[in-house]
């Protein structure tokens, strides 16, 4: 028996030779570098520090209204609730997998009422007793001996899957917070643009009224009035798209807060009420890999795939199962455990897969292919993380330049519009000059608002790309 057991192990081990698998995905890391400070002349400067990112990093925007909205989103957002449920499910499945490595015990009771033919009754039995009841109660215990770690690998795979869900929950929290702040910033930008558009309409109406008065006095002709009417209609036509976009951002905010569209929202912060964070995270490559929830989820997925390969290998090796059952049987319930009625059985089983038409070998190769895919996914997650940080840094650097240019353009266009109004009142220029000055000023104002909003949005993007954690709700 011992010799046969050794032979079976040797055969199984030989069949799975060369199954050492490397879980290192060999993801490339860029060189560490601290970005230069961002110091536009038209707005606050932003510097980079290697200090850890605060778990409530959104409070750096200095808006109590924003803080309250983030708290509400973390409590009621449905994506977070879904991720939390998936985590609890994965945790229970991992604990269930762990239970499979321990002895299993089951108790059973069976009552059987039987009538047999007289011809089938044994000669030594009472020939007149053909109807009887049989009571049987027993306890069965089984224990799989995890000799080659197949069950332990299943447990590691299940625990790694739970770890994946935990990091996905972290990613869901961070994504919801970032998306909410982005939507709030975009709505504030649109609100300022709506105010600027309404102001432009009011100004153009005033100019048209003045033009009509001058036409009645014979100072200008119908062409000048028609030109100003065109300008007013153009300004009025620019307002509805902005209103529609602002309403859409409100719908997005409601969804992120877990509220139905159309329900009244609390007071939303304006663009002026949002402070630009002046201290930004300087992320080292090693810190980013260790901090980003999507990268950590990919690493846990890689661990799960490696455990699945070990499970597939163990399936081709011998398996040992120990089992036992004990109980009693009798015609009367109270006699089941009297002398002579109890019974017991001990069983030891050894199974070595020999021929499964290649199924076990192909399952192992499939698990190895899944491991290679998990390595590629991990490398993709790492590259995506560094790409997100690079995009955010580039956006912040160019945002500062755009803010300076937009500020200069807004100041210049405002002065030009003031001069044009004065000259028109004095009759020194025609209405076309004022029309061009008004349109240029409106465009410059819109660009300035967009530049201010872009700095806030890209700051949020940097916090998210750097793996800023979000504390769970208490």
């Amino acid at each position: 028996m011992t010799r046969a057991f050794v032979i079976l192990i040797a055969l199984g081990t030989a069949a799975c030779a060369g199954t050492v698998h490397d879980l290192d995905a060999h993801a490339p890391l860029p060189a560490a570098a601290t970005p230069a400070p961002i110091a536009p002349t038209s707005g606050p400067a932003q510097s980079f520090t290697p200090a850890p990112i605060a778990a409530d990093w959104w409070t750096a925007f200095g808006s109590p209204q924003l803080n309250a909205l983030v708290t509400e989103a973390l409590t009621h957002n449905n994506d977070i609730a879904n991720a939390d449920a998936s985590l609890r499910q994965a945790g229970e499945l991992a604990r269930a997998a762990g239970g499979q490595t321990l002895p299993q015990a089951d108790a059973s009771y069976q009552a059987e009422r039987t009538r047999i033919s007289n011809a089938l009754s044994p000669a030594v039995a009472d020939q007149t007793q053909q109807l009887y009841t049989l009571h049987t109660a027993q306890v069965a215990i089984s224990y799989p001996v995890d000799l080659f770690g197949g069950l332990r690998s299943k447990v590691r795979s299940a625990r790694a899957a739970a770890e994946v869900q935990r990091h996905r929950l972290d990613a869901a929290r961070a994504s919801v917070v970032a998306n909410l702040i982005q939507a709030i910033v975009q709505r504030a930008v649109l609100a300022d643009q709506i105010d600027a558009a309404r102001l432009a309409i009011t100004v153009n109406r005033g100019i048209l009224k003045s033009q009509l008065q001058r036409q009645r006095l014979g100072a200008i002709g119908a062409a000048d009035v028609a030109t100003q009417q065109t300008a007013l209609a153009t300004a009025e036509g620019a307002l509805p798209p902005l209103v529609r976009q602002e309403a859409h951002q409100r719908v997005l905010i409601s969804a992120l807060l877990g509220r139905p569209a159309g329900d009244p929202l609390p007071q939303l912060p304006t663009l002026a009420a949002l402070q630009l964070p002046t201290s930004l995270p300087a992320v080292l490559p090693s810190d980013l890999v260790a901090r980003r929830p999507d990268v950590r989820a990919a690493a846990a997925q890689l661990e799960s795939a490696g455990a699945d390969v070990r499970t597939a290998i163990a399936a081709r090796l011998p398996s040992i199962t120990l089992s036992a059952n004990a109980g009693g049987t009798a015609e009367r319930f109270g006699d089941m455990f009297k002398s002579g009625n109890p019974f017991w059985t001990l069983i030891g089983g050894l199974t070595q897969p020999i021929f499964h038409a290649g199924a076990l070998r192909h399952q192992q190769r499939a698990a190895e292919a899944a491991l290679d895919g998990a390595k590629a996914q991990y490398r993709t997650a790492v590259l995506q993380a560094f790409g997100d940080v690079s995009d955010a840094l580039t956006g912040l650097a160019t945002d500062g330049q755009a803010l300076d240019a937009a500020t200069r353009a807004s100041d210049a266009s405002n002065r030009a519009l003031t001069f044009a109004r004065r000259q028109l009142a004095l009759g020194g220029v025609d209405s076309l000059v004022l029309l061009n000055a008004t349109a240029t000023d409106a465009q410059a104002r819109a660009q300035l608002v967009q530049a201010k909003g872009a700095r806030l949005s890209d700051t949020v993007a940097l916090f998210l790309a750097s793996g800023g954690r979000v504390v769970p709700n208490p």
Side-chain angles (χ1 to χ4, degrees), residues 23-324:
L23 295 184
D24 188 356
H26 304 287
L29 300 181
T34 301
I38 301 171
T41 59
S42 305
Q46 293 178 300
S47 59
F48 296 88
T49 175
I53 302 176
D56 55 349
W57 51 266
W58 58 87
T59 58
F61 291 90
S63 172
Q65 298 169 342
L66 176 64
N67 299 341
L69 291 170
V70 169
T71 300
E72 182 177 349
L74 291 174
T75 305
H76 300 292
N77 182 266
N78 291 310
D79 290 337
I80 294 177
N82 181 39
D84 180 70
S86 297
L87 173 60
R88 288 186 281 111
Q89 178 188 16
E92 295 299 331
L93 291 175
R95 285 184 279 273
Q100 295 177 2
T101 64
L102 301 175
Q104 310 292 318
D106 299 286
S108 65
Y109 167 73
Q110 179 179 345
E112 178 184 352
R113 183 71 170 170
T114 305
R115 177 181 176 84
I116 62 173
S117 170
N118 184 44
L120 297 178
S121 299
V124 295
D126 186 355
Q127 298 295 322
T128 63
Q129 186 175 351
Q130 296 173 292
L131 182 64
Y132 65 92
T133 300
L134 192 63
H135 299 269
T136 302
Q138 66 176 338
V139 175
I141 300 175
S142 63
Y143 176 57
V145 181
D146 193 19
L147 185 62
F148 296 101
L151 293 177
R152 292 193 297 273
S153 296
K154 288 184 178 180
V155 174
R156 282 195 291 269
S157 178
R159 289 175 178 173
E163 189 73 5
V164 170
Q165 294 300 330
R166 186 173 72 82
H167 294 310
R168 286 179 178 173
L169 175 58
D170 291 339
R173 290 194 182 105
S175 179
V176 165
V177 171
N179 289 339
L180 176 63
I181 299 176
Q182 296 275 20
I184 290 173
V185 169
Q186 187 60 31
R187 190 219 67 85
V189 168
L190 289 168
D192 281 6
Q193 290 179 333
I194 288 173
D195 291 341
R198 287 172 175 164
L199 178 61
I201 293 173
T202 301
V203 170
N204 278 282
R205 284 176 179 168
I207 295 174
L208 178 59
K209 182 178 179 180
S210 175
Q211 296 286 68
L212 291 173
Q213 291 176 350
R214 296 185 64 189
Q215 183 188 30
R216 286 193 294 268
L217 296 174
I220 60 175
D224 292 328
V225 174
T227 299
Q228 183 56 37
Q229 289 174 336
T230 302
L232 176 58
T234 301
E236 291 174 339
L239 180 60
L242 295 174
V243 173
R244 182 172 65 250
Q245 294 175 35
E246 195 270 346
H248 177 65
Q249 293 301 320
R250 286 180 172 272
V251 171
L252 291 181
I253 293 172
S254 296
L256 290 168
L257 295 177
R259 298 187 179 195
D263 273 15
L265 290 173
Q267 185 177 2
L268 301 176
T270 63
L271 195 62
L274 295 172
Q275 300 177 8
L276 183 70
T278 57
S279 179
L280 301 179
V283 184
L284 296 176
S286 57
D287 291 341
L288 183 63
V289 170
R291 189 163 37 187
R292 283 261 300 210
D294 55 340
V295 176
R296 299 182 69 183
Q301 189 66 47
L302 180 60
E303 175 64 26
S304 177
D308 291 339
V309 172
R310 291 189 288 270
T311 300
I313 293 173
R316 302 178 65 185
L317 298 174
S319 61
I320 300 175
T321 303
L322 303 178
S323 61

Side-chain angles (χ1 to χ4, degrees), residues 426-440:
L426 297 174
V429 296
D430 58 15
S431 59
L432 182 60
V433 174
L434 182 60
L435 172 62
N436 292 333
T438 303
T440 301

Side-chain angles (χ1 to χ4, degrees), residues 327-347:
T329 182
E331 294 184 7
R332 291 187 298 178
F333 183 85
D335 295 339
M336 284 190 295
F337 297 101
K338 286 187 176 181
S339 177
N341 290 333
F343 62 86
W344 57 266
T345 304
L346 295 177
I347 302 174

Side-chain angles (χ1 to χ4, degrees), residues 361-455:
R361 181 176 67 255
H362 292 307
Q363 289 174 1
Q364 179 181 339
R365 290 177 179 175
E368 291 169 348
L371 176 59
D372 291 338
K375 290 180 180 180
Q377 290 178 355
Y378 178 80
R379 291 193 295 270
T380 299
V382 171
L383 294 176
Q384 182 65 45
F386 292 122
D388 291 343
V389 172
S390 178
D391 287 343
L393 291 175
T394 302
L396 285 171
T398 56
D399 288 342
Q401 300 170 3
L403 178 63
D404 285 340
T407 301
R408 292 194 301 269
S410 179
D411 293 343
S413 64
N414 187 42
R415 291 195 301 270
L417 179 60
T418 302
F419 295 151
R421 288 176 180 171
R422 292 176 181 174
Q423 291 174 347
L424 181 64
L426 297 174
V429 296
D430 58 15
S431 59
L432 182 60
V433 174
L434 182 60
L435 172 62
N436 292 333
T438 303
T440 301
D441 182 66
Q443 183 178 5
R445 287 175 179 270
Q447 289 180 347
L448 180 59
V449 171
Q450 291 175 354
K452 292 179 179 179
R455 294 195 76 188

